[in-house]
Amino acid sequence: MFAKKSLGQNFLMHAQTAQRIVQAAGITESSVVLEVGPGTGMLTRELLAKAGKVIAVEADHSLLPELTNTFAKEIAEGKLVLINQDIRAFKAESLKSPYIVVANIPYYITGEIIRQFLTEAHKPSSMTLLVQKEVAVRIARATKESLLSLSVKAFGTPKYCFTVPRGAFRPAPNVDSAVLSIENIRADAFSSTDEEEIFFSILRAGFSQKRKRLAKNLEQVCATSNIESAFGALRLSPNARAEDIGEETWRKLAHLLVS
């Protein structure tokens, strides 16, 4: 079974790592798990050992025959559902019950997949993701915030679980990976669609030019007088940069700038 570079495939080959991922996800026999990219089925096998049901979405049709053969019993029992589809076209509302996302995500679509599920109307209760180590650090461990880290923290609590060396994959990527969990994902993170859109428009403007002061960046979407008033109310330095502001303060700032 050959990995396709065009799909960013790096197959997980260590059963022990798969077991640790399942443990980090907190899966129980009542869990419904949406697995993104089952690949060779290494993680799928461990998920099936713990979860009540697994829906595995695989974009590569050439992997389906082997997966279907390997897990014929679980498919017949209805414990495993295999879907041949790009996860970016998957509709979460098709899952009627609460669910957990567990995935070995191709590096190049990591941010896209995280955003997709955090902004779904039917959000997962948690996400446990095998991602590039640098991305996991930037989201959960970095001393400075980023657009991605704040986008995650607006909906849930990120946690760096453990490092996965590049040798755990076939083919081995050029960098190490890490397991990132996003827990306590809130369906009510924003009171309305308008509030969510305002928050992210302010956030994107704040990070639009990293070398500039936050106040200067915000001038493209807000009047200078509003910015000065909001900074004063929150006791923010006029020289503050977007990366220095925490998620709670960003929420307050967005509210003040449009009120």
Side-chain angles (χ1 to χ4, degrees):
M1 201 173 290
F2 297 99
K4 294 179 180 176
K5 210 169 188 179
S6 62
L7 295 176
Q9 291 175 336
N10 297 98
F11 297 134
L12 179 65
M13 304 307 294
H14 284 191
Q16 185 179 10
T17 299
Q19 291 163 7
R20 291 184 71 190
I21 293 170
V22 172
Q23 184 177 13
I27 293 168
T28 67
E29 60 184 16
S30 64
S31 300
V32 174
V33 178
L34 177 63
E35 182 188 9
V36 181
T40 61
M42 179 64 70
L43 181 54
T44 312
R45 183 175 291 105
E46 301 303 330
L47 289 169
L48 288 166
K50 295 287 186 181
K53 186 173 184 177
V54 177
I55 298 98
V57 180
E58 176 55 64
D60 187 354
H61 65 88
S62 69
L63 298 175
L64 269 291
E66 185 68 27
L67 288 167
T68 301
N69 182 59
T70 300
F71 300 109
K73 177 174 176 290
E74 290 83 357
I75 292 170
E77 293 172 346
K79 190 169 183 178
L80 173 65
V81 177
L82 279 176
I83 300 173
N84 182 203
Q85 186 180 37
D86 187 318
I87 192 61
R88 291 170 291 184
F90 183 80
K91 303 300 181 185
E93 60 261 30
S94 65
L95 304 174
K96 304 304 181 184
S97 60
Y99 67 103
I100 293 169
V101 171
V102 179
N104 174 17
I105 303 178
Y107 289 160
Y108 75 99
I109 58 170
T110 297
E112 190 176 351
I113 298 304
I114 290 174
R115 283 191 296 274
Q116 174 181 336
F117 283 99
L118 290 182
T119 58
E120 279 277 6
H122 183 33
K123 295 175 175 57
S125 54
S126 69
M127 300 177 73
T128 302
L129 312 171
L130 193 47
V131 300
Q132 190 173 341
K133 181 180 178 181
E134 179 188 343
V135 172
V137 169
R138 194 162 74 233
I139 292 173
R141 282 187 171 177
T143 56
K144 298 287 187 180
E145 297 289 4
S146 65
L147 184 56
L148 181 57
S149 70
L150 288 164
S151 297
V152 169
K153 291 172 183 176
F155 293 100
T157 307
K159 177 185 175 185
Y160 187 106
C161 298
F162 59 91
T163 304
V164 180
R166 60 197 76 184
F169 300 90
R170 190 186 71 208
N174 295 325
V175 295
D176 288 337
S177 297
V179 172
L180 170 77
S181 71
I182 306 172
E183 302 169 347
N184 308 313
I185 296 174
R186 304 187 300 279
D188 61 348
F190 296 93
S191 61
S192 66
T193 303
D194 285 346
E195 183 187 13
E196 183 176 335
E197 289 177 354
I198 288 167
F199 175 81
F200 282 103
S201 66
I202 297 294
L203 193 63
R204 285 191 292 271
F207 278 91
S208 59
Q209 297 188 60
K210 292 183 180 179
R211 294 187 179 184
K212 287 189 175 182
R213 294 178 295 110
L214 173 58
K216 189 67 177 175
N217 281 340
L218 291 174
E219 287 179 1
Q220 58 191 297
V221 291
C222 301
T224 303
S225 58
N226 284 14
I227 296 167
E228 290 175 351
S229 176
F231 271 51
L234 296 173
R235 298 182 179 180
L236 291 176
S237 166
N239 295 318
R241 297 189 182 276
E243 62 189 13
D244 300 322
I245 310 300
E247 185 262 337
E248 282 191 24
T249 303
W250 271 104
R251 281 182 181 270
K252 294 174 183 176
L253 181 61
H255 175 73
L256 289 170
L257 289 173
V258 296
S259 59

